[in-house]
Amino acid sequence: MRLEDYSYIYFLGIGGIGMSAIARWFNARKLPVWGYDKTRTPLTEALEQEGIRVHYEDDVNHLPQEILDNKAATLVVLTPAIPADHTEWAYLKENGYTIKKRSEVLGIITGSAYTVAVAGTHGKTTTSSIVTHLLHEGGVDCSAFLGGIATNLNSNLLIGKGTAEQETIVVEADEYDRSFLTLYPDIAIVTSADPDHLDIYGDKEEMIRTFQKFISQVKPGGYLILHSAIDPRLLQKVQDGVQVIRYSLNEGEGHVQQVEIQGYSFCFDVETPFGNIARLKLALPGYHNVENALAALIAGQIMGVSEDKLREALASYRGVKRRFEMVYEGQGKVYIDDYAHHPKEIDALMNSLRAIYPDKKLTVVFQPHLFSRTRDFATEFAQSLSAADELMLLDIYPAREKPIEGVTSEMILGLVNGPKKRLLHKEDVVTYLAENVDFEVLATVGAGDIDTLVKPIKNILENN
């Protein structure tokens, strides 16, 4: 399949973070782009402002006339989140349109490029955005498809100048639905491989096998940058000629020295097989983010970015929206919003908050994401959330799933050992916080629609 054979692009689920990046890529190439999404969001509104036409009803009458008249020249891009009974999808299938999953299109886009792919059950969005920033600021012409809105770019897409003979692309390699198996990277970073998406994989062993398959697709002569704590079985399928670099805070060929917390920043030195770099500063809290930066720095070294450029670029990196995002600070209060939705991610968030604000009262509002994930990790969620001084637990955000009998947020709440905990409906959070402003550090946490609370909560704090 050749993308140049298609003149009209239609997205089913255009508001997804990965889908919207590809939509922007086609739009930047002056192709007409349309899309459906279930919900109007700031991201879909941004797409509309950029000239992409979006509608929000599953209705074949909303399909643009251009694609009805030009079936052979139309490419339909599909997200796995679209339900099987979707009317538009059924129509397009029945009428023989070319329909490709988002991951397949991404595989085609990156097929002839020098590809840096960042995989992992957590850490991949932050790490891929740091890699992108280091390369972009370090003088390496590159494009990037990210799983979050990078603050420095104010976008999830970077389009390079295209001046090199072979384009360089940084891409977030998503393990959901085995999407990353469409990628054949020159450099692969794997930040983690903890059990997740068990609705797809069934068990951890199948996840390991799938990560092994991804790792086996690193091109000969390429590089695998692998976190030291990952199951060593992932290395069983590495191709001959691929250089493996293990990394972590304290172990591996790449590791960190002299970590210091300076206010909201972490300062440190790194030692890697490609040279040591001293006096690095990262304005993104958390030891896990120091590790993410370490992996990105190694990739930058492989790509030829100088020590001075790497140091300067890391210091100017400003993070990703909803990844430990500082929303408000003042009047003795701090408000942080974070996308964490797996117990390991919540552990990392809690550890970071405690490291920076060791003596402050920590209030957490958490929205579980997916019934299956809540069922599979209720005990682990409870252990992670027990670190909060006060916990408000919201209803489960279903995303693509139907309810599972007996699976509710109460499964988690009953196991939490924290001193103060309660169930709240999302629509009651703002009223509750307005009447209970005795918190010192507040965090809203989750991958669902909890982000719709950010502006109202910020308004409470600014007007209190």
Side-chain angles (χ1 to χ4, degrees), residues 8-11 14 27 30-37 44 47-56 62 64-66:
Y8 305 92
I9 316 297
Y10 188 72
F11 284 79
I14 197 169
N27 192 49
K30 308 303 181 185
L31 290 173
V33 178
W34 300 264
Y36 157 85
D37 206 87
T44 62
L47 296 179
E48 292 182 77
Q49 291 166 9
E50 293 164 21
I52 295 172
R53 285 150 285 186
V54 183
H55 67 270
Y56 302 93
H62 288 306
Q65 192 63 42
E66 290 90 337

Side-chain angles (χ1 to χ4, degrees), residues 420-439:
K420 191 175 182 181
K421 58 183 183 179
R422 68 179 65 237
L423 292 173
L424 268 185
H425 296 302
K426 182 168 71 76
E427 55 268 25
D428 297 329
V429 170
V430 174
T431 300
Y432 177 85
L433 288 174
E435 297 171 353
N436 298 270
V437 292
D438 61 335
F439 56 84

Side-chain angles (χ1 to χ4, degrees), residues 350 354 381-389 391 415-419:
M350 295 297 194
R354 290 301 187 193
F381 276 124
Q383 291 170 347
S384 302
L385 294 165
S386 293
D389 297 303
L391 172 66
L415 298 170
V416 170
N417 292 322

Side-chain angles (χ1 to χ4, degrees), residues 56-71:
Y56 302 93
E57 294 179 38
D58 175 18
D59 185 345
V60 294
N61 292 316
H62 288 306
L63 293 173
Q65 192 63 42
E66 290 90 337
I67 76 167
L68 296 176
D69 294 340
N70 297 277
K71 180 171 69 174

